[in-house]
Amino acid sequence: MAGNGFSGREFGMSEQERRTRQGADYENVGADYLEQRQLQKGAAGWVLLAGLGVAYVISGDFAGWNFGLAEGGWGGMLIATILMGTMYTAMVFALAELSSTIPTAGGGYGFARRAMGPWGGFMTGTAILIEYAIAPAAIATFIGGYVEALIGIGGWVVYLAFYLIFVGIHLYGVGEALKLMFAITAIAVVALLVFVIGMIPQFEVANLFDIDPTNAAGSSSFLPFGLVGLWAALPYGIWFFLAIEGVPLAAEETRDPATDMPKGLIAGMMALLVFAALILVFAPGGAGSSVIQDSDNPLPLAVESAYGGSNALGSFVNIAGLAGLVASFFSIIFAYSRQIFALSRAGYLPRLLSITGGRRTPWVALIVPGVIGFVLSITGDGARLLNVAVFGATISYALMMLAHIVLRRREPDLERPYRTPGGVATSGVALVLAVLAVIATFIVDVRAAFIALGVYALFLAYFGLYSRHHLVAQAPEEEFATIEKAESELAGS
């Protein structure tokens, strides 16, 4: 078990073998190093984990997904959502297995590290980091849109206020943060249900198809932008589910990861599938796809358009809908801090980033990305930031599913408290769809995709030139790999 203090030498490995493995160099650290990098244990059970999974994603129901209507029309967005829903469902089943087997704060980085070595771990971890560092900045712009619709004030003042408040709550403590997040998420769920009920009387099938067809190949009222538009809608189908994969990052703060992780992941995913279906049908079906396709606050706008002006329903959805954006903003701050914490603790990123305070929160990993995210949010371009986040996400999905397949093939006897239904066939489906989604990010916004690719390349250069020569042997994710290698060598001798 990771974190038990074992090292490769205790399994008969020489110092040199332990220090240099798979193209990386390792350093010993003292006991005080890990003492300064401890998270709060037992803070979450499966219900809170399911709430965390929904919280990560629920902002995607309130804003962001609707830009897919402008890319593919309602038919393109429907197909994109079905495909991406399939990808995420398959991926969640695979992650349920991986997170119950390798329960560390590294999440996807830890899984890929075990399967594909330090390079695979770093490539996966930094792709996730790009997603989680950028997604709050995109969500902040949507929060600004909702706040401006309510009180007439938006822009950087709103972005700064929300970053200060919610990073501050995370600094206070994880248990308190997760419980508050659960309460905010519950309000957002109520808002979605009230919105759907209110839009049912206004629903007309014709509203779904009110975007005029273009002359693109394969265009029709169902696919007004043709087949290319369908492909371009994939990243926005992702927005209904983006970040559910962050639940395993809470593994070291979970009471019983072996049982709680699978339950929390799967329950959260099932709820998200229901919400995606309801919003995709009743928001454009009540107001018209053309009305909300470019809006930063599509649900209040949909109510206003459907009812011919402002009313109590629209005001409620706007106010309570802000809770949905806040829930995702709040929870993804948790996710980026834990991903940075794990990569930094193991030496992949500067070690300073993983220091924890007296309340066992990684305060440096909370503040530094928060500052970067605020600066990015000032651009106000939520759609572009969204696409940068999706690029990082889809890269990480492909790598995590590859890790699942590799571990099933290479370590069939590894103890797996939960096993993915369908095995590698399930993760294989998710892998193929993830690769298609990566390609789609270049179709929908080539500039955003290349920006993300450039940032990713800089991370990889840092690892190749420096940090892979200074990894920490005692980090939990590295100990998992050390023990596995040593045990397999003993078994073969």
Side-chain angles (χ1 to χ4, degrees):
M1 178 64 65
N4 57 11
F6 292 160
S7 70
R9 296 185 69 185
E10 293 174 88
F11 286 90
M13 295 174 67
S14 71
E15 177 71 7
Q16 183 59 37
E17 288 175 324
R18 190 198 55 70
R19 286 176 60 86
T20 304
R21 301 192 299 273
Q22 297 175 294
D25 299 319
Y26 286 78
E27 300 173 355
N28 278 320
V29 294
D32 61 328
Y33 179 85
L34 293 180
E35 277 297 316
Q36 296 170 355
R37 292 162 172 82
Q38 294 289 322
L39 299 173
Q40 184 179 336
K41 309 298 182 184
W46 78 267
V47 175
L48 271 182
L49 290 176
L52 178 62
V54 174
Y56 279 143
V57 185
I58 200 166
S59 67
D61 291 305
F62 287 93
W65 66 271
N66 53 296
F67 297 133
L69 298 172
E71 297 291 342
W74 189 82
M77 192 59 194
L78 173 65
I79 296 172
T81 302
I82 291 172
L83 289 173
M84 294 300 94
T86 300
M87 179 187 75
Y88 273 92
T89 302
M91 182 174 70
V92 159
F93 283 127
L95 291 179
E97 176 181 307
L98 291 168
S99 60
S100 67
T101 305
I102 308 173
T104 68
Y109 137 63
F111 311 149
R113 168 65 186 89
R114 175 71 176 256
M116 299 178 287
W119 272 102
F122 185 78
M123 290 175 67
T124 305
T126 50
I128 294 171
L129 183 55
I130 289 171
E131 172 193 356
Y132 289 157
I134 301 301
I139 295 169
T141 66
F142 301 140
I143 289 174
Y146 270 69
V147 171
E148 188 168 9
L150 278 172
I151 62 175
I153 299 174
W156 71 268
V157 174
V158 173
Y159 310 154
L160 179 61
F162 276 80
Y163 266 107
L164 288 175
I165 292 169
F166 291 105
V167 169
I169 293 171
H170 276 295
L171 290 171
Y172 186 72
V174 64
E176 295 81 359
L178 290 179
K179 289 170 185 174
L180 177 59
M181 175 220 68
F182 194 85
I184 295 172
T185 304
I187 295 172
V189 168
V190 170
L192 288 179
L193 294 177
V194 170
F195 169 80
V196 169
I197 292 170
M199 295 299 281
I200 288 174
Q202 306 299 319
F203 176 81
E204 293 182 14
V205 173
N207 287 337
L208 300 173
F209 309 110
D210 68 347
I211 297 176
D212 294 331
T214 64
N215 58 2
S219 65
S220 64
S221 59
F222 184 74
L223 293 174
F225 303 102
L227 298 177
V228 173
L230 162 60
W231 202 339
L234 289 179
Y236 300 101
I238 285 174
W239 202 241
F240 277 126
F241 313 105
L242 182 78
I244 180 69
E245 74 280 0
V247 174
L249 293 169
E252 291 184 30
E253 294 155 286
T254 300
R255 297 190 191 107
D256 183 8
T259 58
D260 289 340
M261 273 294 163
K263 287 180 182 178
L265 272 164
I266 295 168
M269 187 64 207
M270 295 304 105
L272 293 171
L273 288 169
V274 172
F275 296 149
L278 291 173
I279 296 303
L280 181 58
V281 170
F282 289 103
S289 295
S290 63
V291 172
I292 63 173
Q293 62 181 345
D294 296 315
S295 175
D296 281 341
N297 57 338
L299 301 197
L301 178 60
V303 173
E304 182 178 329
S305 175
Y307 283 91
S310 300
N311 59 23
L313 175 61
S315 298
F316 173 78
V317 170
N318 203 332
I319 295 170
L322 188 57
L325 296 170
V326 168
S328 292
F329 181 76
F330 189 24
S331 56
I332 296 176
I333 288 173
F334 170 88
Y336 76 54
S337 69
R338 269 50 182 183
Q339 187 66 81
I340 291 175
F341 168 82
L343 288 168
S344 169
R345 179 177 61 182
Y348 290 84
L349 295 178
R351 297 178 188 179
L352 174 68
L353 294 170
S354 56
I355 292 176
T356 52
R359 301 189 68 84
R360 300 301 192 191
T361 56
W363 63 272
V364 184
L366 282 163
I367 292 173
V368 172
V371 172
I372 295 171
F374 167 67
V375 171
L376 291 174
S377 69
I378 294 174
T379 67
D381 194 346
R384 174 152 289 161
L385 291 170
L386 183 157
N387 281 309
V388 173
V390 168
F391 175 87
T394 52
I395 292 287
S396 73
Y397 299 163
L399 291 170
M400 286 190 290
M401 293 306 94
L402 184 59
H404 180 269
I405 293 168
V406 168
L407 285 175
R408 275 292 190 101
R409 299 292 191 193
R410 198 181 70 197
E411 299 185 56
D413 298 325
L414 183 65
E415 182 181 353
R416 293 173 167 86
Y418 174 87
R419 297 182 70 86
T420 303
V424 297
T426 299
S427 51
V429 168
L431 173 59
V432 170
L433 290 171
V435 171
L436 292 176
V438 172
I439 297 170
T441 63
F442 286 89
I443 294 174
V444 69
D445 189 340
V446 67
R447 182 179 178 186
F450 274 108
I451 289 172
L453 186 60
V455 172
Y456 194 40
L458 290 175
F459 272 118
L460 296 180
Y462 171 78
F463 180 68
L465 295 173
Y466 177 77
S467 68
R468 72 185 177 95
H469 301 297
H470 302 277
L471 301 184
V472 176
Q474 289 91 344
E477 295 83 2
E478 303 306 306
E479 284 197 322
F480 263 117
T482 299
I483 294 169
E484 178 274 328
K485 184 175 187 294
E487 287 179 337
S488 63
E489 289 178 353
L490 287 174
S493 62

